[in-house]
Amino acid sequence: MSKTDPVRVVIADDSELFCSALEAILEPEPGVVVLGLAADGDEALRLAQELRPDVMLMDLSMPVTDGFVATERIRAEVPDTQVVVLTGSADYGDVERARAAGAVGYVTKDRIAGELVQAVRSAARL
């Protein structure tokens, strides 16, 4: 990715409303493009394989395959995609488990408005 290329993002969260809100935050940002939305971990992996995003925004609590397993699989199968976890949990154990799965960032949902764009840009630089 060159400095002039947009940061390509996929959002994975089982709440359609939350995905739409994240998309609404990111889309107006210069140099950020949302490629797709996933409602579960399996769909997140499929979109990562097909679209090869720079950054995957990953909820931890999702049906079918949770965000921990999906993160681990994405990092193994699509290593150029960086995963930033978005979750309602500030539990230290969840943070450590997400990092162990390969997540490069962790933003709690109550801090998204202030930290989301910076987390995406930081992950894309890795």
Side-chain angles (χ1 to χ4, degrees):
M1 183 175 93
S2 79
K3 290 185 180 189
T4 59
D5 290 339
V7 178
R8 300 165 337 107
V9 178
V10 170
I11 301 167
D13 194 291
D14 59 328
S15 167
E16 186 176 333
L17 180 62
F18 189 69
C19 281
S20 295
L22 292 177
E23 190 173 22
I25 291 169
L26 291 173
E27 279 295 331
E29 283 296 317
V32 177
V33 174
V34 176
L35 301 177
L37 308 174
D40 61 59
D42 284 354
E43 188 175 10
L45 176 61
R46 183 181 58 75
L47 288 179
Q49 291 166 331
E50 288 176 13
L51 303 175
R52 304 283 179 183
D54 302 307
V55 178
M56 172 72 67
L57 298 176
M58 180 74 70
D59 184 23
L60 294 178
S61 299
M62 290 188 293
V64 185
T65 300
D66 69 27
F68 297 110
V69 173
T71 296
E72 191 169 11
R73 291 173 61 194
I74 288 167
R75 294 296 298 140
E77 296 180 31
V78 192
D80 289 339
T81 296
Q82 302 299 326
V83 178
V84 174
V85 168
L86 303 176
T87 184
S89 172
D91 180 81
Y92 183 75
D94 286 345
V95 173
E96 287 303 304
R97 191 171 166 209
R99 291 210 185 274
V104 299
Y106 193 99
V107 179
T108 57
K109 289 183 177 179
D110 62 332
R111 307 216 43 180
I112 283 175
E115 298 178 10
L116 179 64
V117 173
Q118 181 59 40
V120 166
R121 292 187 189 284
S122 293
R125 286 193 292 269
L126 296 178

